[in-house]
């Protein structure tokens, strides 16, 4: 990217949709990187039992309407998806990937760490599942219960998590199942917006979490990361449901409150992955 391009704060038009935009060259130069921090992914005693896996609930919609009528071309952030998965994969756990509709998981490919062979390799390993995920209603009907093979649920970040997941009865059912059966729930950045699906259920009342701060979302249009402001604040709504958001900035902070594991941003991708992998291994070795 040339110097002239890298200072351009105008959102980049998405040629696939009318009035939709990718982040500006400037914002990409500041907030994406070709390689990721993958340190600490050594697990000398990985899980080898073959049963326990993680249910991943991905975003299945790309376009997020903003307050000025433009659309943000979004999805799941690759770093916020693949770095936590990388650690859990290294620790011996497999994944089932699902979306609400059964349509493919959408990704913010402009944030893919393109020079990171380990991350790209993991993406390719699960590419078929990302393209042909399970339908969440089918998972609930056929695969959830007291004897389910899921040790946890992972909801990746990215603004795509703001579309559909917060209102989903299916996501609510999964989170209620996880709480009732003492399962892990792992998420970061905008992913915790999916917790709004629990609505009036008290299962997370008083829980501490990390999430992307509303105040920073308000600033993203200034640098062209988004083409307009969000129409609602997910952190504000989470607090109204009884969550306590422990961070007010992004620094890579993570939080574990019982079996709810969260991180603040892409900066937390690697640390949250280590936290999750270690917690999952402790659980299976205890069992």
């Amino acid at each position: 990217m040339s110097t002239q391009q890298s200072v351009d704060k105008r959102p980049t038009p998405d040629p696939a949709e009318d009035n939709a935009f990718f982040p500006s060259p400037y914002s990409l130069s500041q907030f994406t990187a070709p390689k990721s921090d993958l340190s600490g992914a050594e697990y000398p005693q990985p899980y080898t039992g073959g049963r326990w896996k993680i249910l991943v609930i991905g975003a299945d919609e790309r376009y997020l309407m903003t307050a000025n009528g433009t659309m943000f071309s979004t999805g799941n952030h690759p770093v916020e998806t693949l770095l936590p998965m990388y650690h859990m994969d290294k620790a011996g756990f497999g994944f089932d990937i699902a979306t609400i509709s059964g349509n493919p998981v959408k990704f913010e490919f402009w944030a893919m760490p393109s020079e990171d062979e380990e991350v790209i390799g993991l993406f390719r390993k699960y590419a078929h599942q990302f393209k042909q995920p399970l339908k969440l209603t089918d998972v609930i009907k056929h695969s959830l219960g007291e004897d389910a093979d899921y040790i946890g649920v992972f909801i990746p970040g990215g603004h795509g998590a703001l579309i559909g997941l917060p209102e989903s009865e299916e996501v609510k059912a999964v989170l209620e199942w996880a709480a009732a059966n003492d399962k892990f729930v792992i998420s970061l950045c905008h992913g915790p917006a999916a917790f709004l699906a629990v609505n009036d259920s008290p299962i997370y009342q008083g829980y501490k979490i990390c999430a992307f701060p509303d105040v920073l979302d308000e600033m993203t249009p200034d640098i062209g990361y988004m083409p307009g402001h969000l129409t609602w604040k997910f952190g504000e709504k989470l607090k109204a449901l009884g969550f306590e958001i422990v961070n007010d900035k992004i620094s890579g902070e993570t939080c574990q409150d019982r079996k709810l594991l969260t991180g603040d941003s892409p900066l937390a991708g690697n640390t949250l992955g280590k936290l999750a992998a270690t917690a999952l291994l402790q659980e299976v070795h205890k069992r």
Side-chain angles (χ1 to χ4, degrees):
M1 186 179 294
S2 71
T3 302
Q4 184 173 359
Q5 285 178 316
S6 65
V7 297
D8 189 345
K9 296 183 179 181
R10 294 171 298 176
T12 302
D14 177 353
E17 182 58 73
D18 176 56
N19 209 27
F21 297 86
F22 301 119
S24 68
Y26 172 79
S27 63
L28 291 182
S29 73
Q30 299 299 303
F31 296 111
T32 64
K35 289 192 175 182
S36 305
D37 175 14
L38 297 174
S39 61
E42 295 80 32
Y43 301 98
Q45 293 183 295
Y47 171 63
T48 57
R51 175 187 176 185
W52 297 113
K53 53 190 174 181
I54 293 92
L55 175 63
V56 181
I57 302 177
D60 58 6
E61 175 56 63
R62 182 171 304 286
Y63 295 108
L64 177 65
M65 186 68 72
T66 70
N68 64 11
T70 60
M71 290 187 290
F72 181 38
S73 185
T74 180
N76 282 135
H77 194 290
V79 169
E80 295 168 12
T81 305
L82 298 172
L83 265 63
M85 287 181 66
Y86 177 80
H87 282 271
M88 291 185 274
D89 177 82
K90 286 286 189 181
F93 297 95
F95 302 94
D96 278 351
I97 298 170
T99 61
I100 294 172
S101 64
N103 292 329
V105 176
K106 302 301 190 293
F107 278 97
E108 299 173 329
F109 249 84
W110 36 263
M112 182 68 77
S114 57
E115 296 177 14
D116 213 319
E117 294 181 6
E118 293 287 302
V119 174
I120 297 296
L122 183 74
F123 176 74
R124 289 174 179 159
K125 179 177 179 178
Y126 289 98
H128 178 75
Q129 289 194 53
F130 287 131
K131 295 295 185 185
Q132 297 185 27
L134 302 170
K135 190 172 183 178
L136 200 53
T137 51
D138 293 336
V139 174
I140 294 166
K141 183 177 180 180
H142 301 296
S143 302
L144 292 191
E146 293 182 6
D147 59 347
D149 293 333
Y150 299 119
I151 192 171
V153 178
F154 173 45
I155 303 174
H159 282 83
L162 300 176
I163 313 170
L165 273 64
E167 304 85 26
S168 169
E169 289 295 324
E170 294 86 358
V171 172
K172 180 180 182 180
V174 172
L175 293 174
E176 289 181 332
W177 166 83
N181 291 278
D182 198 31
K183 305 294 185 177
F184 289 93
V185 174
I186 304 153
S187 191
L188 71 167
C189 203
H190 290 84
F195 301 164
L196 293 171
V198 303
N199 198 5
D200 55 356
S201 175
I203 57 175
Y204 291 129
Q205 189 75 34
Y207 272 68
K208 293 179 171 64
I209 62 169
C210 284
F212 195 82
D214 287 341
V215 65
L216 295 186
D217 261 330
E218 292 177 7
M219 298 167 61
T220 57
D222 295 339
I223 58 170
Y225 186 86
M226 293 182 64
H229 290 280
L230 293 175
T231 58
W232 57 283
K233 299 176 181 179
F234 82 97
E236 186 177 277
K237 289 182 178 290
L238 285 169
K239 291 174 185 176
L241 283 185
F243 286 92
E244 180 185 344
I245 300 177
V246 299
N247 62 298
D248 57 9
K249 59 182 183 297
I250 55 171
S251 62
E253 185 176 355
T254 60
C255 178
Q256 178 172 358
D257 190 343
R258 285 151 280 188
K259 289 192 171 178
L260 187 59
L261 282 57
T262 51
D264 65 14
S265 67
L267 301 174
N270 194 61
T271 306
L272 182 65
K274 288 189 284 188
L275 178 66
T278 301
L280 293 170
L281 287 173
Q282 288 174 346
E283 181 73 9
V284 295
H285 293 325
K286 182 175 68 177
R287 293 185 182 188

